[in-house]
Amino acid sequence: MTVSWEIRDEAVWSDGVPISGSDFAFTLEYREAMNGCWDEDIAWRADFAAPGTVETVGDKSFALRFPSATLEYEQLFRWIIPEHAVAGSSYCEDWIDTAWPAAGPFVVEDWQRGESLTLVRNENYWKVDPNGGDRLPYLDGVEFRFIPETQEILTAFRGREVDVIQTPPSAETIGALEAMSDDGVAVSVLSGPVWEHLNFQFGPNNRNTESLNRFVEYRQAVAYALDLEQLFTNIGYEEVQASYGFITHFTPAATSEPWRQYEYNPGLARQLLATACQRAQRDCVANPPVMVLSTTSNADFRPRFADGLQEMLGAIGIEVRLELEDSQLFFGDTLDEGTYDVGEWAWVGSPGLGGLVSVFDLFDPDAPAPDGGNYYRWGTPDSIVRNNDAVSEMRALLSAIRTTVDRAEILALAGQIEEVLAREVVVIPTHARLVVGAVWADEIAGFSMNSTQASHTWNIEMWRRVDQ
């Protein structure tokens, strides 16, 4: 498969040098020089899996030849490196604290580590306002301030020390911002790309020796016992919208929201729980089943959600014991070793078909954590659920979706995979985490909150001061 990129004729670097196909080729080569001094947690090196073979390099074009059909090309060029400025240099020695020429609306003027980043207008920026033809950006500069505490952010914003903020999405913060609306503050609260979910552990290290996770009736009982909309209201998060599928956070057209089949039905939940108890040869009246719920403790939403879950599941006869942990422990040993029973955490939905396909690595029976992405260990060799019809179906669907680049086929297969996961209740999507942005609308015009990973600064080139 050959993929070609065409570069706009007017596209230039901030020093006026045209952006060319050579910059694309150089970017693929130079990534190797970054090894050893680039934080492995930053998704740079992961962008360059299987880059293919360079086929053509032109003044305004570039093409790669891949050995087979792949969507890897979508992730290859999030960033482009200017060859004319960087060639012959060492990334580790020359570019850790120094910015190379940019191609965006602003360039770096000053950086105070941990405090602020000051950008000024790129005089050679090549884009124009599609609505009026004016050269962008409108602002002469932007200063980013790094404020660690939410209350400090709100105080600085309330005092008009900053014009635009994106804050953690706590109910208290949203309320505080909305209370300023009469003073000229515009608040945006959207469902973002981070999708939270309840999930079951199927591996051998489950800390709950009484777990019933192996029975699909038990997992279905949990799903039918949850009234997510009411739960969010009960814990003070009325703005949160319940999710009935997770791939909607990647590509909405791909999902039929298959978890809607589990419409709140506590009576049916009790019947299914009784069936699971019978299969487990357990007297669940005399000895109620126990769920050990693990999630992070150092946050606002998850502990509240855990309390609400405890109440709803208790109503159908499941005793929920909460074992909340510091995030470093939870996202370290607990998930890596699969020692939880039922967990609640989140993944981030990446845009594009490549992001959609890659999310299914999380359910690959042949890729258990920690080396693979299947932290649930559903269908893995050491799983309590393996080699059944659903696992076999998942393997076949994964093989098919990884070997096509046809959009319609990918969307159809993605929907089928999600339906298998819903039918088996491997996970229960709950909601997309809120993203919150606020602007002093009497100071800055053009601000528009974005619900994807592009976030609140996605259109910063269009922002302008109201008085200019």
Side-chain angles (χ1 to χ4, degrees), residues 247-326:
I247 62 179
T248 186
H249 307 305
F250 298 78
T251 308
T255 185
S256 62
E257 298 188 317
W259 277 268
R260 283 195 181 276
Q261 66 186 287
Y262 301 107
E263 183 178 0
Y264 177 60
N265 190 332
L268 180 55
R270 294 187 187 96
Q271 293 177 27
L272 288 163
L273 182 61
T275 300
C277 291
Q278 184 178 20
R279 292 185 62 192
Q281 298 181 342
R282 174 176 180 144
D283 183 351
C284 289
V285 176
N287 186 20
V290 174
M291 172 190 291
V292 179
L293 177 65
S294 299
T295 189
T296 57
S297 59
N298 47 334
D300 179 77
F301 178 87
R302 287 174 181 160
R304 294 193 191 188
F305 180 84
D307 289 338
L309 195 73
Q310 186 178 47
E311 181 178 349
M312 284 191 170
L313 294 182
I316 69 161
I318 298 176
E319 178 186 343
V320 179
R321 297 177 185 170
L322 303 183
E323 295 191 0
L324 278 59
E325 301 175 345
D326 181 84

Side-chain angles (χ1 to χ4, degrees), residues 89-102:
S89 65
S90 165
Y91 178 82
C92 299
E93 296 177 4
D94 301 319
W95 301 106
I96 292 293
D97 297 320
T98 304
W100 48 56

Side-chain angles (χ1 to χ4, degrees), residues 98-377:
T98 304
W100 48 56
F106 300 98
V107 295
V108 175
E109 182 182 60
D110 183 62
W111 174 38
Q112 300 296 322
R113 185 186 293 271
E115 296 181 7
S116 65
L117 173 69
T118 303
L119 307 179
V120 295
R121 193 176 197 272
N122 175 5
E123 297 298 338
N124 284 315
Y125 190 47
W126 44 276
K127 290 182 70 173
V128 297
D129 186 341
N131 299 316
D134 295 328
R135 183 164 292 280
L136 299 173
Y138 286 112
L139 297 176
D140 292 327
V142 180
E143 179 183 338
F144 290 88
R145 295 186 185 176
F146 309 132
I147 304 174
E149 299 295 334
T150 301
Q151 285 304 314
E152 292 181 40
I153 296 172
L154 291 174
T155 298
F157 184 68
R158 189 177 289 110
R160 293 183 180 257
E161 297 174 35
V162 291
D163 299 306
V164 178
I165 58 172
Q166 181 176 359
T167 67
S170 71
E172 290 78 7
T173 299
I174 294 171
L177 290 172
E178 290 178 341
M180 291 185 250
S181 59
D182 291 340
D183 298 322
V185 172
V187 184
S188 298
V189 181
L190 304 175
S191 295
V194 178
W195 56 281
E196 299 269 346
H197 65 308
L198 195 68
N199 51 88
F200 300 88
Q201 174 57 237
F202 300 91
N205 298 325
N206 191 327
R207 68 181 63 176
N208 181 12
T209 58
E210 300 181 22
S211 176
L212 298 180
N213 287 355
R214 64 189 181 278
F215 301 113
V216 68
E217 293 87 356
Y218 170 73
R219 306 192 300 269
Q220 290 172 339
V222 172
Y224 278 115
L226 298 182
D227 183 344
L228 290 173
E229 288 89 348
Q230 187 61 51
L231 193 159
F232 298 143
T233 298
N234 292 347
I235 64 175
Y237 275 84
E238 294 85 351
E239 299 89 348
V240 172
Q241 300 295 313
S243 292
Y244 300 99
F246 64 88
I247 62 179
T248 186
H249 307 305
F250 298 78
T251 308
T255 185
S256 62
E257 298 188 317
W259 277 268
R260 283 195 181 276
Q261 66 186 287
Y262 301 107
E263 183 178 0
Y264 177 60
N265 190 332
L268 180 55
R270 294 187 187 96
Q271 293 177 27
L272 288 163
L273 182 61
T275 300
C277 291
Q278 184 178 20
R279 292 185 62 192
Q281 298 181 342
R282 174 176 180 144
D283 183 351
C284 289
V285 176
N287 186 20
V290 174
M291 172 190 291
V292 179
L293 177 65
S294 299
T295 189
T296 57
S297 59
N298 47 334
D300 179 77
F301 178 87
R302 287 174 181 160
R304 294 193 191 188
F305 180 84
D307 289 338
L309 195 73
Q310 186 178 47
E311 181 178 349
M312 284 191 170
L313 294 182
I316 69 161
I318 298 176
E319 178 186 343
V320 179
R321 297 177 185 170
L322 303 183
E323 295 191 0
L324 278 59
E325 301 175 345
D326 181 84
S327 58
Q328 287 189 325
L329 172 61
F330 182 74
F331 291 115
D333 292 345
T334 296
L335 293 191
D336 286 348
E337 297 175 11
T339 58
Y340 70 94
D341 177 29
V342 175
E344 198 282 325
W345 79 87
W347 296 107
V348 182
S350 300
L353 292 179
L356 175 61
V357 171
S358 66
V359 74
F360 297 122
D361 293 345
L362 304 176
F363 307 99
D364 186 347
D366 299 315
D371 297 328
N374 188 346
Y375 287 86
Y376 321 109
R377 293 163 177 84

Side-chain angles (χ1 to χ4, degrees), residues 246-248 250-251 253-256 258-259 353 356-357 359-360 394 397-398 400-401 404 406-421:
F246 64 88
I247 62 179
T248 186
F250 298 78
T251 308
T255 185
S256 62
W259 277 268
L353 292 179
L356 175 61
V357 171
V359 74
F360 297 122
M394 176 62 71
L397 289 169
L398 288 176
I401 202 170
T404 180
D406 180 84
R407 176 179 173 81
E409 186 177 4
I410 288 172
L411 297 185
L413 289 166
Q416 292 176 50
I417 292 173
E418 196 179 40
E419 288 170 5
V420 172
L421 295 171

